[in-house]
Amino acid sequence: HVEYDNTIADLFGLSSSWGASFAPDNVVHGYNNSAAGLQVSSLLADQYMNAAEEIANQAVSARAEQLIPCGVLERSVDCAEDFLIEQGTRIFRRPLNSSEMDFYLGLFEDIYYEDGFNEALEWTLAALLQSPHFLYRSELGTAQGSGAFHLTSWEIATELSYLIWQTTPDDELLSLAQSGELLDAEVVNQKVEQMLLDPRAAQTVAGLSEQWLSLDMLPIVPREGEYEVLTQELRAQMGMEINKFIRSAFSEDSSLSGLLLADYS
């Protein structure tokens, strides 16, 4: 759900709290991002649908000039096709194939001739945001003929971005995927080193560490007697202190023993 909110913010420039309001993910051994545990209930499916419709409405209403690749007088089916080529690639983290283009362009046309461009674009965007190709990350690769599969450059870009930044690939990663450069291991290594310097990488490690150390219990674990001083304000400050400490240790490339045995905070 954190990845969902980060992705919406990066795709559309919207301050997203939709993910935070979703039904909680299953926790497996303390971690909330275990693929085997991430089952989609009917409630979560409804929440995905409602969020997609609200996001599409806000994006088209507030961010139309940034999203739509043509002027007001040029908004037509051709413009919608350009939108699918440009924004569809960002949303699916890969270019839409021909059958997908036909499907979404057909959906757009069905609404466009009745209700106009913006209405058609809004519902087309809502449909894109409910697609499994947006909601889920599949690493299927392409068959090599010997029983082996190689990840595509688009899958590598997505894997790196969500692993290190917990969000959708940025324009530079998508460009490297488009050119096929991410199929070169040396390019991947160089890109990873660059990505690890971004503050988002430290925050990803801090979030993982908080799950590892069960720090999600910090705001709610009961303490009585001499621990009455442990107010909600103090608990929040303790959590902030640990988060900053872990991020600092990561950014300074401290060792694991340095993290666990440090005599400072």
Side-chain angles (χ1 to χ4, degrees):
H1 298 340
V2 170
E3 293 175 350
Y4 186 97
D5 280 334
N6 290 344
T7 296
I8 295 302
D10 287 342
L11 284 176
F12 306 113
L14 300 175
S15 179
S16 175
S17 59
W18 284 280
S21 69
F22 291 161
D25 283 326
N26 291 327
V27 176
V28 179
H29 301 303
Y31 299 98
N32 63 12
N33 202 14
S34 172
L38 297 182
Q39 305 301 314
V40 179
S41 65
S42 57
L43 171 60
L44 182 55
D46 284 341
Q47 290 174 326
Y48 280 149
M49 178 184 70
N50 293 332
E53 293 176 2
E54 292 175 10
I55 292 163
N57 176 266
Q58 290 191 27
V60 173
S61 299
R63 309 284 296 176
E65 298 305 317
Q66 290 77 25
L67 294 176
I68 300 172
C70 57
V72 175
L73 299 179
E74 302 168 315
R75 293 180 180 176
S76 61
V77 174
D78 288 341
C79 179
E81 185 172 5
D82 290 340
F83 171 86
L84 289 172
I85 293 172
E86 181 179 313
Q87 297 299 331
T89 297
R90 297 181 70 233
I91 293 169
F92 277 14
R93 304 175 288 272
R94 61 162 176 78
L96 277 64
N97 60 39
S98 58
S99 62
E100 290 166 340
M101 285 291 295
D102 291 344
F103 173 80
Y104 288 107
L105 204 56
L107 172 63
F108 175 87
E109 291 182 0
D110 288 343
I111 304 171
Y112 170 70
Y113 292 112
E114 292 287 335
D115 300 307
F117 184 90
N118 280 17
E119 188 79 7
L121 190 70
E122 180 179 326
W123 285 106
T124 302
L125 180 55
L128 287 165
L129 295 176
Q130 293 177 73
S131 168
H133 300 293
F134 167 70
L135 291 171
Y136 312 125
R137 290 188 284 126
S138 58
E139 297 174 359
L140 302 177
T142 55
Q144 301 303 301
S146 59
F149 287 78
H150 287 176
L151 294 181
T152 69
S153 59
W154 301 100
E155 290 169 329
I156 293 172
T158 297
E159 181 181 27
L160 292 178
S161 190
Y162 280 99
L163 174 68
I164 300 174
W165 288 343
Q166 290 191 296
T167 191
T168 194
D170 61 10
D171 290 341
E172 183 177 346
L173 267 173
L174 292 177
S175 178
L176 290 172
Q178 177 75 55
S179 68
E181 291 177 74
L182 285 180
L183 298 176
D184 183 333
E186 185 57 36
V187 173
V188 170
N189 289 337
Q190 292 173 1
K191 184 60 182 173
V192 166
E193 290 182 4
Q194 176 188 342
M195 294 174 70
L196 289 173
L197 298 176
D198 190 290
R200 290 175 292 182
Q203 184 53 49
T204 296
V205 171
L208 176 66
S209 299
E210 287 168 6
Q211 294 182 57
W212 165 47
L213 298 170
S214 300
L215 294 177
D216 57 323
M217 297 295 294
L218 181 58
I220 59 174
V221 65
R223 285 292 183 269
E224 299 175 355
E226 62 184 284
Y227 292 102
E228 290 179 358
V229 69
L230 200 59
T231 63
Q232 288 304 117
E233 180 182 8
L234 182 57
R235 291 170 189 251
Q237 291 173 344
M238 290 170 68
M240 185 184 303
E241 180 181 33
I242 297 170
N243 182 286
K244 293 176 70 175
F245 176 60
I246 293 173
R247 281 189 293 155
S248 174
F250 174 75
S251 298
E252 295 170 6
D253 201 21
S254 297
S255 65
L256 182 59
S257 61
L259 175 69
L260 297 177
L261 302 176
D263 58 358
Y264 67 95
S265 70

